[in-house]
Amino acid sequence: MTGGITPQKTNMKTVIVSFAPEFSTLALNELSRHLGEIQSSPLARGIYTVHFHKPLKHLLNAWKKQPPIYIHHMFPVHKRLAIEATAKDLLRQLRRVLRKSTLLRRLDKTKTFAAQVRAVDCFPSVSTEVVSGAIENLAHKITKTRVDVRTPQQVLSALITARGTWLGLSTVEDNISPWPGGGPPIAPDRNRLNRAEYKLIEALMTFGITLPLGGNTLDLGAGPGGWTRVLLSLGQRVTAVSPRSLVDELLQDERVQYHKLFAEEFHSLAMSKGAKFDFITNDMYLVPQDSARLMVQFAPLLKDGGQAIVTLKLRCKDWRKVMSHAFRILRTSFIIPRIKHLFFNHREVTVWLRKSPKKSVSSMETKLLK
């Protein structure tokens, strides 16, 4: 079939979901937990179509209370084009289908709009910028809806593959992530020390964490200094702790206090001096329970209402049980607003922690720390 709309499965709804391939089972479980029986099939690496019978609102309402951990992005499918043509023909057919369908006319004129286009394993000449621009221009011409590509409130998503093109209209909140495929708009930078910098930037963006200007941050396991650099760029004064040295530029920065110590050694020193921090980060390569215990140990150094970020590495046997145990340990001293496998995470999850003055470790809970 060329240039037409492929009929959707009778009485079934469809979404496109994106996630890390190594967590495919867990990601699909996050869907079936609220949608019941689902039918899923891969379109590309980490991109699946999922068909189901239940109303999508059941899933969305549940995720408003507890967002998914493993799914990066999702959008509902309202139109599918089966195309065997060139990139030029694709653009022409997209315009024709959007003019004839009611999809664009369903836009809320009181809210801003943008098109988000991904092209995967398809025509090499497809430009996602050209396609998104064409959709936005057409939408504005037909409906007069204001286009805002930076902070849209509603999105027309388009996934273009060699097997067809999927289109769907939704609010940004319903898409789980405001970014196409869940990939944050972080420009590559050759000057970054390592990939870890992208993880912290994405975590702060995803969780909406704003650090106090001039705040005091403790960076555990800081060497060689990737997270320390990010924190400095956000106006923080950083206490960097690691037996592994920082790069010279950070050692010479007066905003950085470097302690060439293991975290446990620094803890005794900091407690004796009554140190307090606004924010604590931990990207150390430890088993999850040890990372959790370390964060509980450092909780008294965090100001009331202070926040922390820790990555839990999942390169171990029975890691699902291990991770569940780590969460129980963390909850003895912290509230956990969000757990997320980020786009720049590998086999790990990032945990956002918040200290509450009401949180204390009971005698029963201390058993978890052993």
Side-chain angles (χ1 to χ4, degrees):
M1 180 176 179
T2 302
I5 300 174
T6 301
Q8 297 297 307
K9 294 189 177 183
T10 305
N11 298 324
M12 294 195 81
K13 305 164 189 69
T14 304
V15 292
I16 301 289
V17 293
S18 302
F19 45 76
E22 58 266 32
F23 293 119
S24 59
T25 300
L26 290 174
L28 293 173
N29 283 345
E30 289 184 315
L31 291 164
S32 61
R33 190 176 303 129
H34 302 290
L35 294 176
E37 183 181 357
I38 62 174
Q39 299 176 18
S40 62
S41 58
L43 285 175
R45 180 174 169 80
I47 305 175
Y48 276 59
T49 57
V50 177
H51 309 286
F52 52 93
H53 289 283
K54 286 188 176 181
L56 183 58
K57 65 179 181 181
H58 290 347
L59 178 71
L60 298 176
N61 289 338
W63 281 356
K64 286 178 181 178
K65 298 176 182 178
Q66 185 175 353
I69 296 174
Y70 302 101
I71 290 180
H72 293 163
H73 188 269
M74 179 181 77
F75 73 85
V77 175
H78 295 122
K79 294 289 182 184
R80 181 188 171 188
L81 284 69
I83 297 174
E84 298 174 2
T86 64
K88 185 177 180 180
D89 292 332
L90 166 64
L91 193 58
R92 185 184 302 114
Q93 291 177 49
L94 273 174
R95 287 195 181 103
R96 183 171 66 248
V97 167
L98 289 173
R99 283 194 184 99
K100 291 182 177 181
S101 75
T102 62
L103 203 54
L104 292 182
R105 292 174 178 83
R106 289 161 52 189
L107 285 169
D108 185 340
K109 297 180 182 179
T110 67
K111 297 180 179 180
T112 57
F113 162 79
Q116 294 185 350
V117 179
R118 297 179 72 194
V120 182
D121 301 332
C122 59
F123 315 113
S125 57
V126 167
S127 167
T128 55
E129 291 80 8
V130 170
V131 175
S132 59
I135 293 173
E136 288 161 357
N137 291 336
L138 184 60
H140 180 71
K141 181 179 179 180
I142 293 174
T143 68
K144 306 302 180 185
T145 306
R146 185 166 66 89
V147 174
D148 182 355
V149 297
R150 296 180 63 86
T151 56
Q153 295 169 292
Q154 49 192 339
V155 172
L156 191 145
S157 302
L159 175 65
I160 305 169
T161 76
R163 296 169 57 184
T165 295
W166 286 259
L167 302 171
L169 180 64
S170 53
T171 65
V172 170
E173 291 78 11
D174 290 349
N175 286 8
I176 310 305
S177 169
W179 312 306
I186 304 174
D189 186 348
R190 294 182 180 179
N191 295 321
R192 298 202 185 281
L193 293 179
N194 49 36
R195 182 186 59 85
E197 292 190 44
Y198 294 100
K199 291 195 300 183
L200 180 56
I201 294 171
E202 182 186 1
L204 295 171
M205 294 171 66
T206 299
F207 301 145
I209 297 175
T210 301
L211 301 179
L213 189 62
N216 292 314
T217 291
L218 173 61
D219 186 11
L220 298 173
W227 281 27
T228 295
R229 286 187 63 193
V230 173
L231 293 164
L232 290 176
S233 72
L234 297 173
Q236 299 299 288
R237 296 190 298 272
V238 182
T239 299
V241 178
S242 175
R244 181 185 181 187
S245 183
L246 304 183
V247 295
D248 288 342
E249 68 173 270
L250 296 176
L251 292 174
Q252 297 170 11
D253 195 311
E254 60 182 12
R255 299 168 297 171
V256 177
Q257 291 186 15
Y258 170 57
H259 297 268
K260 194 172 185 177
L261 299 170
F262 289 101
E264 295 81 1
E265 296 173 321
F266 174 78
H267 178 264
S268 299
L269 175 64
M271 289 293 287
S272 67
K273 293 185 176 181
K276 288 289 183 180
F277 299 94
D278 300 287
F279 193 56
I280 298 178
T281 61
N282 175 2
D283 190 34
M284 298 173 67
Y285 201 90
L286 301 173
V287 297
Q289 297 100 318
D290 287 346
S291 285
R293 293 186 186 102
L294 188 67
M295 295 305 294
V296 170
Q297 185 180 8
F298 274 85
L301 295 174
L302 194 61
K303 295 178 182 178
D304 286 344
Q307 302 176 83
I309 283 180
V310 58
T311 56
L312 299 181
K313 317 299 180 181
L314 306 180
R315 300 178 183 274
C316 52
K317 294 181 179 180
D318 298 324
W319 56 266
R320 298 182 196 180
K321 293 181 180 179
V322 167
M323 189 167 61
S324 179
H325 186 197
F327 295 151
R328 293 199 302 272
I329 295 172
L330 288 169
R331 288 190 175 100
T332 62
S333 293
F334 298 96
I335 296 169
I336 304 180
R338 189 90 185 268
I339 304 162
K340 185 69 177 173
H341 177 268
L342 300 171
F343 187 83
F344 283 107
N345 281 144
H346 282 178
R347 202 168 186 85
E348 62 190 359
V349 294
T350 298
V351 186
W352 173 22
L353 305 172
R354 187 186 298 277
K355 183 182 178 183
S356 169
K358 296 180 180 179
K359 279 282 183 180
S360 61
V361 182
S362 68
S363 58
M364 183 176 293
E365 286 172 328
T366 55
K367 294 179 182 179
L368 293 172
L369 306 181
K370 295 179 181 180

